[in-house]
Amino acid sequence: MDLTMAFLPVVSFVFIVFITIAFLATRYKRCPSDKILVVYGKVGKGQSALCIHGGGAFIWPLIQDYTYMSLTPLTIPIPLTKALSLQNIRVNVPSTFTVGVSTEETIMNNAAERLLNLSQEDVESMAREIIFGQLRLTVASLTIEQINQDREKFLDAIRRNVAPELNKIGLYLINVNITDITDESGYIESIGKKAASEAINQAKIDVSDQDRKGSVGESEQVRERTIKVAQNVAESEKGKKQAEADKRIYLQQQEALATIGEAEANRDLQIKVAQNEATSVQGQKKAEAERRIFVQSQEAEAIAGENRARALMAASNADLTVQAAQAAQRGQVAQFDAQAEIQRSQAKAELQRLTTSEVVPQQIEKQKITIAAEAAAEKVRREAQGEADAILLKYEAEAKGIRQVLEAKAQGYQALVVSANNDARAAATLLLTEKLEHLVAMQVEAIKAIKIDKVTVWDAGANANGGTTTSNFLAGMVKSLPPLHDVAAMAGLDLPKFLGDANAVPPVAGNGALPPPK
């Protein structure tokens, strides 16, 4: 315990040092070669960001943070069309610009301030707008001839105009590639045709000049060739004689050197043979002595090894006896523990058996009674709910049918009123006219049971009113039935005039008889 308390401060100190080193290691950020490490936050007075290319930096927590900017170049196609030149001729200058973030300190800081956390598409869009404007400005300051003929000068002008503007946002111009230059008026094409014609004419002049020079040169070459041939023949004969003399001298020298070399080789061979024989005998004697020494040392080591093996066997047998006794002791203890565990398991099994045979059936019976009562109550509730739903649906259906009938009648009456020019009285008259047949049938039904077998009329002539008895009888009999106009009046309607007028007094004939019907 005292030793543990003594080492506790040391262990704590080592742990704190390890945690501190690990934390510092996580806050040190390295910058890859193809990126710029931008540290922002509190980086120095008058600075908004610290840009590092290569190496690394320690990022202080809470007051500093970092990110990376890629140095991968961007290839931006610039399809410039209809740009005005200095001669007011519109030209098409399709080109490709390659730009990237600069590693110069000033330009790198501009990139950190203006391009940090922007996507590649946003950077390309910003650079494209700048390049379009400066390229149009460059084309406007040059003539067609300067643009088309002196491409290097044109590219230098583009770099002078575009590069400073790109540097302002942190980019620098890597390369400019002009694809082709065309114009709408065909001026460049005409310049090309003129240059082609001049080139063809100059080629013809050059061919004639070269033919003349060829003829003169041919004659000179023939003369020089004849002279050179003669000189070469003479030099060849001279060289042959000199070569033969040199050959003889060389052969004599080589033969002398060969004789000397053979003698020296024989002498060296005899010396080497004698030396090798002496060395061989010396090596054999030394090997024999080393063999005897090695055999004696190996026998001594073998005897010592046998003694050590016997000692180890004795110690191993003693350890085996001790371990066997310990194993027997542990076996007996384990046997007693197993018997105790078996007794506990039997008691637990008996308790489980009693619970299963006595308590569980009672609980099951209780649950059966509860489930049966709940089922009966649920059945009564559902039957009552079903009867209530049936009655409700019946009345809802009857109400829906009555509503539909009334809505249909209302729509029919409305259409009838509309067909009668919105005259409700005329519409009611039309409805009653449809019912007249039924009303007349009811009147007929009222008198059809009266049986008149025979009617006898005694007519005594004209009376004081000018009518006969027979005519008066028939008129009174007809009037005993309700007239059609009276039936209509009972319903509050007036029939049309072409059906007659109930209030008009019929004219009396001269003999007192009724006028004939019209």
Side-chain angles (χ1 to χ4, degrees), residues 243-384:
E244 289 177 356
D246 293 337
K247 178 180 179 183
R248 291 175 183 177
I249 295 170
Y250 180 77
L251 291 175
Q252 293 296 328
Q253 291 177 351
Q254 293 300 319
E255 287 177 355
L257 291 174
T259 302
I260 296 170
E262 288 178 356
E264 291 178 351
N266 290 330
R267 184 194 64 188
D268 294 336
L269 178 61
Q270 293 174 359
I271 294 171
K272 290 291 184 181
V273 169
Q275 289 178 352
N276 289 333
E277 289 177 352
T279 304
S280 176
V281 173
Q282 182 181 2
Q284 290 176 358
K285 297 299 182 179
K286 184 177 180 180
E288 182 67 22
E290 290 177 351
R291 184 181 66 80
R292 292 178 178 177
I293 295 171
F294 179 77
V295 170
Q296 294 298 326
S297 63
Q298 291 299 318
E299 289 179 352
E301 289 181 0
I303 294 170
E306 289 177 355
N307 294 330
R308 287 194 299 270
R310 291 191 182 95
L312 290 174
M313 288 177 61
S316 178
N317 291 330
D319 293 337
L320 180 62
T321 303
V322 173
Q323 291 178 359
Q326 292 177 353
Q329 181 181 3
R330 287 196 299 270
Q332 292 178 357
V333 173
Q335 183 178 3
F336 293 149
D337 292 339
Q339 291 177 356
E341 184 65 26
I342 290 172
Q343 293 175 358
R344 287 195 295 271
S345 299
Q346 290 176 351
K348 185 177 180 180
E350 181 65 19
L351 178 61
Q352 183 69 25
R353 185 186 65 78
L354 293 175
T355 302
T356 303
S357 60
E358 298 296 334
V359 178
V360 172
Q362 298 296 329
Q363 292 180 349
I364 293 173
E365 186 65 25
K366 178 182 177 181
Q367 291 180 356
K368 286 183 179 180
I369 296 172
T370 303
I371 292 172
E374 291 177 353
E378 184 65 21
K379 178 180 179 182
V380 173
R381 284 196 299 270
R382 294 197 175 212
E383 289 177 352

Side-chain angles (χ1 to χ4, degrees), residues 89-112:
I89 298 175
R90 294 190 178 274
V91 294
N92 302 323
V93 188
S95 56
T96 302
F97 284 70
T98 303
V99 300
V101 177
S102 176
T103 56
E104 296 181 8
E105 184 176 359
T106 304
I107 303 175
M108 195 162 49
N109 289 331
N110 292 340

Side-chain angles (χ1 to χ4, degrees), residues 199-231:
I200 292 171
N201 294 331
Q202 184 63 37
K204 292 179 180 179
I205 295 171
D206 294 339
V207 169
S208 299
D209 190 16
Q210 293 300 322
D211 289 340
R212 178 180 59 80
K213 291 180 179 180
S215 299
V216 174
E218 184 180 2
S219 60
E220 292 179 353
Q221 290 297 325
V222 170
R223 178 177 60 82
E224 291 180 0
R225 182 180 62 186
T226 303
I227 296 171
K228 290 290 184 181
V229 168
Q231 291 177 353

